Amino acid sequence: NEPHILNDSAYVKFSEIRADGFELEVVCYTDIINYIDYVAFKDQVNFKLMSILQNNKVSLTSKPQTVYVKND
């Protein structure tokens, strides 16, 4: 029910199962053409998604990273 999302174009696709979690793809088309407005809209959508996940007790993982420090 977001006014900037065009013609019910939003969908979520279960993309793949990975070692570090499930990959979901969220897609929608918008009528926003100004880049600054688009970034603000994208942030708003991401915050709504995070809220939905938190309300359903779903936590996100981060990919493990290894940092090597060289002593000279």
Side-chain angles (χ1 to χ4, degrees):
N1 296 346
E2 171 60 47
H4 291 292
I5 295 177
L6 298 177
N7 299 329
D8 297 323
S9 65
Y11 67 89
V12 178
K13 182 174 101 176
F14 180 50
S15 188
E16 68 179 278
I17 300 172
R18 302 170 55 100
D20 57 347
F22 301 111
E23 186 173 304
L24 300 174
E25 182 179 347
V26 179
V27 177
C28 71
Y29 295 98
T30 180
D31 61 358
I32 299 172
I33 57 174
N34 176 284
Y35 182 72
I36 300 299
D37 293 340
Y38 165 74
V39 171
F41 172 73
K42 187 172 88 166
D43 285 347
Q44 185 180 26
V45 169
N46 285 334
F47 285 126
K48 283 182 184 179
L49 288 172
M50 288 298 297
S51 176
I52 291 168
L53 292 173
Q54 288 174 345
N55 289 339
N56 287 284
K57 311 260 189 279
V58 176
S59 61
L60 301 179
T61 63
S62 58
K63 292 183 181 182
Q65 296 181 353
T66 303
V67 176
Y68 297 96
V69 178
K70 182 178 177 183
N71 292 327
D72 289 329

